[in-house]
Amino acid sequence: MMFQMTAGLSIGVLSLHFWHSLPDYKWFITAIIIGGAIFFCLRIKLFLAIAIGGLWAWVTAADYSKAVNSLPQERGNITIVGEVRSLINHNILDKRFIFVTEHVKERDLLRKDSLRLLLDWPEARHLKQGQRYALDIRVRRPNGRANTAGFDAERYAVGNGIHGTGTVIAGTLLSQNSKMSLRQRWFDRAVQQTEGFTYRAYLLALGFGERDGLDQDDWSILRDSGLAHLMAISGLHIGLVVVMGWGIGSRVRGVLPESGYWLWLPFWLALLLAYGYAWLAGFSIPTQRALLTSVLCLLMIRCGVIWSGLQLWLVILASCLILNPLASYSAGLWLSFGAVLVLYLANIGGIRRRKQAEQTAVPWRETVRVYVLLQLALLGLMLPLQWVWFGGISLAAPLINFLAVPWVSLVTVPCVLIAVVTIAVPGLSGVFWQFADWSLHPVIALASLAEGAWWPLSESLFIVLLAMVTGIVLCWFLPWRRFLCLQVSLVLTLWGISDWSKSQTLDPDSWQVDMLDVGHGLAILIQRHGRVVLYDTGNSWPEGSMALSVIEPVLRRQGIRHLDGFILSHADADHAGGTPDVITRLNPAWLRSSDQREGFAPCVRGRIWRWQGLTFKVLWPPKRVTKAANPHSCVIQVSDQWLNPESDTSLLLTGDIDAISELLLARLEPDLKADILLVPHHGSNSSSTQTWLDSLQATYALVSAGKYSPWSLPAEQVKHRYLMQGLHWLETAEDGQISLRIRQGHVAFTRYRKDGRLHWYQPLFRP
């Protein structure tokens, strides 16, 4: 009965993922009445559990949405008072921190709101966790780039309970109750004691769950080796601490006088250590789940209660979802519970120590066998979740984890824990920090050998692998002779879905244009026959670039690993910032630019070439320059006239050309037409003259712009000008990634934010 209820509650909470928008009361009551009529005589208790879980998820989502909608629709200035909740490390470039408000002042109105904000304060010098501040901030609702692949900032905000993001303009430290937290003081001491250590960032991550010090290279190593889960305070480490505490408590109880007072000593010591380690991690979502699991398991052991592994898993899952229904939007919940479920299935499926091994002379061989099989089971059965959240898998993960997990768990983590516990004694603590740092040298060296082992999976390939994994699992758990027909039919069905999915991508007579959502910048993909040409890269920053965070994931999701061609319009950072990453990661066969760059062919007026049946004709600039500015942008007309002579379609790529360049180009090309036009300079007033628009007679206007760009582009006057021409206005700031499929004169467009999969938390649905 209990487990039926917990399963129903979990299903009800997870139903939030299938709501396209928040349902109103009428919708919900109607659903309950209809569902009740159907299931009343059958599964009333299960139905009630699902209804209660769904209602609780709806209330939580509505409360989150209400808090988000209390912030300005557009970026606005407000004054807030509250407390800093993040650990602050002034030695890193990232100056973002979590701030929880006590009250908000906006437009001379004072409201008592508890909001969780992610703020950026580059000028902060003495900011510490636990301090109370009055801040003047420029804030906005969560909004991120919307592409077919890559980081989803809006989903991240929901999963972490972040109601808004912003920048601090000015702040005042409040004298009353403004002392930094004990955790921050310990963290500052750890930062000082680990100064100069090779793996300082890893040590702070293992000691305090603070991973902001890891740079892009560190994350690449952890991703390729499959060790990202190991370099933080995770459920694995909480479980390790619980085992240590229980073991120490049991031994201490054994030497103490017999008394009923000491019966619960192992329980309380294990719980105390687990709570302390979770506190060091700031009670992050993974540690909350691990702590809850530890408490339940310890109580069951102490009270002699016996549940099956699946029953325990269900109860803990339901408890976590009830405590925080929005945690289902974080990768951590799915990956942690998924891994535990895989281990349980592997255990009941036969991967366990065989009793015969206890009688053999070499029982360690059986231990190794079990450990290897568990790693392979995790690799195969976690494939769907790995692909959904990260777009691929690490092929080296089983081997690397086989060697690294025991070493880090039994050597590095204990050293880190002792270093933290003795942090008030710098000499002693420093010794253990040093031991922990030394212990990481072989681990990171081993992980570095896995560079390039990350295997991005396209959608079609993923379905094929899913079919293979499904077949293996069915053969594993079901009598293969009895269920052979079921297994074969299911695998063939998935294989057929893979072929259908692949056939739906792009038919042989079509070509496609994708304007990616890269904020204020530009990145356009031209695709045919599974081959791609890239026009511009978007921006870059010290820790990465749009090429790494958007362009590469989008291409890899389609199974494309290399570029046929790469064109740079001009040298501005928002167009060319990711050039080194594009060349290194995507290895384009040919390069073109309008300025003088090593390895790049000239992109100047008069150059014509043909690629995959499409004709590329360069219309501007008239000559190559040393460094291309906006007026020197490489303007290219892409046409399929050779493919479709009777109903050709043309695309005009314009970069950031200005009004003078437009008029000169109109004079040089009086017959120039463009069905699809890239709006010059992101819709700035410096371009898009009426004369230029009248001559082109375009149908679609593509605009690459950032939602909260400081330049406020596109200009309303320019947008109005295009709309008055009757053009279809397609803007990444509102529509996300925009894809246009062209086939024999017909153009069909898809806006990822509006036409793709929609979610209740997206800005489109917020009233």
Side-chain angles (χ1 to χ4, degrees), residues 147 326 345 353 595 612 657 717:
N147 295 285
L326 300 185
L345 294 176
R353 286 184 60 87
D595 55 9
Q612 295 295 314
I657 59 172
Q717 180 182 356

Side-chain angles (χ1 to χ4, degrees), residues 464-518:
V464 172
L465 291 178
L466 183 60
M468 295 173 59
V469 171
T470 302
I472 293 173
V473 171
L474 290 175
C475 291
W476 187 5
F477 289 103
L478 299 178
W480 69 272
R481 295 178 183 275
R482 184 180 304 176
F483 295 94
L484 181 61
C485 293
L486 172 63
Q487 296 170 22
V488 172
S489 61
L490 184 56
V491 170
L492 291 178
T493 300
L494 288 172
W495 201 292
I497 293 175
S498 168
D499 292 338
W500 175 84
S501 175
K502 190 173 182 179
S503 67
Q504 292 297 309
T505 55
L506 206 61
D507 60 76
D509 296 330
S510 300
W511 59 291
Q512 185 165 310
V513 177
D514 293 288
M515 184 165 66
L516 305 182
D517 184 2
V518 294

Side-chain angles (χ1 to χ4, degrees), residues 445-761:
L446 178 65
S448 299
L449 297 177
E451 184 177 0
W454 181 256
W455 191 20
L457 300 176
S458 64
E459 292 187 60
S460 56
L461 181 58
F462 165 73
I463 297 176
V464 172
L465 291 178
L466 183 60
M468 295 173 59
V469 171
T470 302
I472 293 173
V473 171
L474 290 175
C475 291
W476 187 5
F477 289 103
L478 299 178
W480 69 272
R481 295 178 183 275
R482 184 180 304 176
F483 295 94
L484 181 61
C485 293
L486 172 63
Q487 296 170 22
V488 172
S489 61
L490 184 56
V491 170
L492 291 178
T493 300
L494 288 172
W495 201 292
I497 293 175
S498 168
D499 292 338
W500 175 84
S501 175
K502 190 173 182 179
S503 67
Q504 292 297 309
T505 55
L506 206 61
D507 60 76
D509 296 330
S510 300
W511 59 291
Q512 185 165 310
V513 177
D514 293 288
M515 184 165 66
L516 305 182
D517 184 2
V518 294
H520 180 79
L522 182 65
I524 290 182
L525 302 174
I526 303 170
Q527 182 180 165
R528 188 162 192 267
H529 290 161
R531 315 286 287 273
V532 175
V533 170
L534 173 65
Y535 182 83
D536 283 349
T537 70
N539 218 327
S540 64
W541 51 93
E543 300 85 11
S545 67
M546 290 296 176
L548 295 176
S549 60
V550 176
I551 298 173
E552 184 180 19
V554 169
L555 290 176
R556 293 292 171 86
R557 194 177 185 91
Q558 300 177 40
I560 300 171
R561 302 179 64 89
H562 305 289
L563 293 173
D564 274 23
F566 172 39
I567 305 169
L568 272 182
S569 65
H570 62 298
D572 284 0
D574 59 327
H575 291 253
T579 298
D581 291 326
V582 167
I583 295 175
T584 302
R585 303 282 299 184
L586 299 175
N587 193 26
W590 49 263
L591 312 168
R592 290 183 180 270
S593 69
S594 57
D595 55 9
Q596 297 175 2
R597 292 173 179 262
E598 183 178 357
F600 281 73
C603 188
V604 295
R605 179 174 174 80
R607 299 289 176 133
I608 300 176
W609 68 92
R610 186 170 290 143
W611 171 83
Q612 295 295 314
L614 302 176
T615 303
F616 288 69
K617 181 180 180 182
V618 183
L619 307 177
W620 190 264
K623 63 179 182 179
R624 207 171 189 185
V625 295
T626 303
K627 184 177 180 180
N630 288 351
H632 311 115
S633 295
C634 183
V635 178
I636 301 178
Q637 183 187 45
V638 183
S639 172
D640 64 353
Q641 186 176 13
W642 188 75
L643 292 173
N644 303 302
E646 297 181 357
S647 55
D648 62 300
T649 303
S650 61
L651 162 70
L652 191 61
L653 304 173
T654 59
D656 279 355
I657 59 172
D658 58 6
I660 296 177
S661 301
E662 289 178 355
L663 296 176
L664 292 175
L665 185 55
R667 182 178 299 178
L668 291 171
E669 300 283 344
D671 298 325
L672 179 62
K673 306 295 180 187
D675 299 286
I676 306 168
L677 171 65
L678 173 64
V679 176
H681 201 188
H682 318 285
S684 168
N685 276 320
S686 64
S687 308
S688 299
T689 60
Q690 190 65 53
T691 303
W692 164 262
L693 293 181
D694 291 338
S695 65
L696 290 178
Q697 300 179 9
T699 304
Y700 300 92
L702 307 183
V703 188
S704 183
K707 176 68 174 177
Y708 297 103
S709 167
W711 296 277
S712 300
L713 297 176
E716 286 298 325
Q717 180 182 356
V718 172
K719 181 177 180 179
H720 178 73
R721 191 178 301 157
Y722 278 87
L723 293 177
M724 291 300 293
Q725 290 283 118
L727 275 73
H728 293 283
W729 181 267
L730 302 172
E731 179 184 342
T732 57
E734 300 294 337
D735 302 328
Q737 177 181 333
I738 298 166
S739 301
L740 300 97
R741 179 175 295 187
I742 302 102
R743 186 177 187 274
Q744 297 180 356
H746 177 71
V747 179
F749 63 85
T750 302
R751 301 161 297 180
Y752 182 75
R753 189 180 288 280
K754 297 179 180 179
D755 302 323
R757 184 178 179 184
L758 308 177
H759 300 279
W760 59 267
Y761 56 80

Side-chain angles (χ1 to χ4, degrees), residues 66-227:
K66 179 182 178 181
V68 170
N69 290 334
S70 69
L71 295 173
Q73 179 89 27
E74 298 294 332
R75 181 178 290 179
N77 295 353
I78 61 175
T79 300
I80 59 176
V81 173
E83 181 181 312
V84 179
R85 291 293 176 87
S86 295
L87 281 179
I88 305 300
N89 186 353
H90 290 289
N91 295 320
I92 62 176
L93 294 175
D94 191 351
K95 301 300 181 183
R96 294 178 300 174
F97 61 97
I98 297 295
F99 191 86
V100 177
T101 66
E102 298 170 2
H103 55 77
V104 178
K105 183 178 181 181
E106 181 185 8
R107 299 186 183 92
D108 298 326
L109 296 176
L110 192 63
R111 309 192 313 268
K112 288 192 174 182
D113 290 329
S114 179
L115 300 174
R116 185 178 173 89
L117 305 176
L118 179 63
L119 302 179
D120 182 31
W121 195 358
E123 303 303 322
R125 293 292 182 268
H126 305 289
L127 190 71
K128 296 294 182 181
Q129 185 188 60
Q131 293 177 334
R132 295 180 65 252
Y133 272 86
L135 301 176
D136 294 326
I137 64 173
R138 183 176 294 112
V139 68
R140 60 179 173 83
R141 303 174 186 182
N143 186 276
R145 299 182 294 272
N147 295 285
T148 54
F151 179 67
D152 189 335
E154 293 159 14
R155 183 173 61 184
Y156 173 84
V158 175
N160 290 272
I162 297 173
H163 301 113
T165 61
T167 302
V168 178
I169 302 172
T172 303
L173 177 65
L174 302 179
S175 57
Q176 183 180 7
N177 299 325
S178 61
K179 294 182 180 180
M180 72 176 73
S181 67
L182 175 62
R183 182 169 172 249
Q184 179 73 63
R185 292 199 291 270
W186 284 20
F187 180 76
D188 288 344
R189 290 185 180 182
V191 171
Q192 294 175 358
Q193 293 172 7
T194 56
E195 185 174 0
F197 286 4
T198 305
Y199 300 114
R200 180 191 203 178
Y202 293 93
L203 296 177
L204 295 177
L206 287 169
F208 296 88
E210 181 59 39
R211 299 198 285 183
D212 290 342
L214 299 173
D215 58 24
Q216 185 66 40
D217 292 336
D218 293 326
W219 283 115
S220 296
I221 291 174
L222 294 177
R223 182 199 65 180
D224 291 354
S225 62
L227 294 182

Side-chain angles (χ1 to χ4, degrees), residues 250-262:
S250 298
R251 285 169 173 78
V252 171
R253 185 182 62 181
V255 300
L256 291 174
E258 292 189 9
S259 172
Y261 293 107
W262 309 117

